[in-house]
Amino acid sequence: MKNKLIKIIKIPRIEDDCYLCFAENNKHIPFKIKRIFYIGLPVLGLSRGKHAHRKNKQVLFCIQGKVRMVLDNGKDREEVILDRPETGLFLDKMVWHEMCDMDEKTILLVLASDFYDEKDYIRNYKKFLQVTNRK
Ligand code: T46
């Protein structure tokens, strides 16, 4: 069955005496990057995220370790494991997402289409369902 929510973006991986991955605006990344952030040293066993963005779009790369991403649009729920630096996950606006099963090595690099704005977050699942007209 075709995934509705999971959109994988493969970026170039150059191999010489190490690996080198790169991504360019509007070529590999389907928006102009306004912000980057990264997440590491997770408390094991806890999941993060649990929110959706009203406008912000993101591409997530697990550049070390692994993460299980759970995506939800209020109707469909899909999961994918990210564990390769050349494999990004496009996270559209209005997709509820959770980052689970991160290990002690996990580093998540995130490219975002917008500057940080707490008002862009929907952090309550019931509210998310209301906004998406699912409830
Ligand atoms: C997302 C997932 C994949 C800032 O002040 N500036 C920032 O640019 C970011 C990203 C966060 N913050 C603050 C806001 C909170 O006080 O850092 C704190 C932790 O943020 P949050 O609880 O949203 O972290 P995660 O790991 O649950 O989610 C993060 C991103 O915030 C979010 O946009 O989609 O990673």
Side-chain angles (χ1 to χ4, degrees):
M1 206 168 60
K2 199 174 177 305
N3 287 324
K4 286 187 182 161
L5 301 172
I6 293 165
K7 292 173 184 138
I8 294 295
I9 291 179
K10 287 272 184 190
I11 60 170
R13 175 175 172 141
I14 311 284
E15 298 275 354
D16 44 34
D17 48 4
C18 65
Y19 75 74
L20 185 155
C21 295
F22 64 92
E24 297 179 1
N25 263 348
N26 294 327
K27 186 170 174 187
H28 310 102
I29 306 301
F31 51 77
K32 194 168 176 217
I33 301 161
K34 283 195 179 161
R35 178 171 53 114
I36 70 158
F37 58 94
Y38 31 91
I39 300 169
L41 288 180
V43 175
L44 298 181
L46 288 188
S47 53
R48 292 186 66 91
K50 300 182 183 169
H51 60 251
H53 290 283
R54 292 176 188 275
K55 288 194 183 146
N56 185 39
K57 299 172 192 167
Q58 301 182 127
V59 179
L60 282 75
F61 293 94
C62 186
I63 58 172
Q64 190 172 283
K66 68 167 172 57
V67 62
R68 178 169 59 89
M69 294 298 304
V70 180
L71 308 189
D72 180 336
N73 62 4
K75 188 166 167 247
D76 309 290
R77 202 171 169 86
E78 294 173 4
E79 292 189 12
V80 64
I81 291 176
L82 298 179
D83 59 0
R84 298 190 66 82
E86 70 275 21
T87 304
L89 175 66
F90 174 66
L91 195 51
D92 210 346
K93 63 183 177 181
M94 291 307 292
V95 176
W96 186 267
H97 52 282
E98 300 182 13
M99 296 99 89
C100 310
D101 304 343
M102 290 189 273
D103 64 39
E104 65 277 359
K105 288 189 194 147
T106 299
I107 300 176
L108 264 186
L109 170 65
V110 184
L111 312 178
S113 66
D114 284 304
F115 299 122
Y116 174 72
D117 178 4
E118 188 56 40
K119 291 195 288 301
D120 186 61
Y121 285 67
I122 303 174
R123 292 191 184 268
N124 179 294
Y125 190 68
K126 273 193 178 167
K127 166 94 178 170
F128 170 70
L129 292 179
Q130 281 166 6
V131 175
T132 52
N133 291 322
R134 307 288 188 199
K135 224 171 200 180

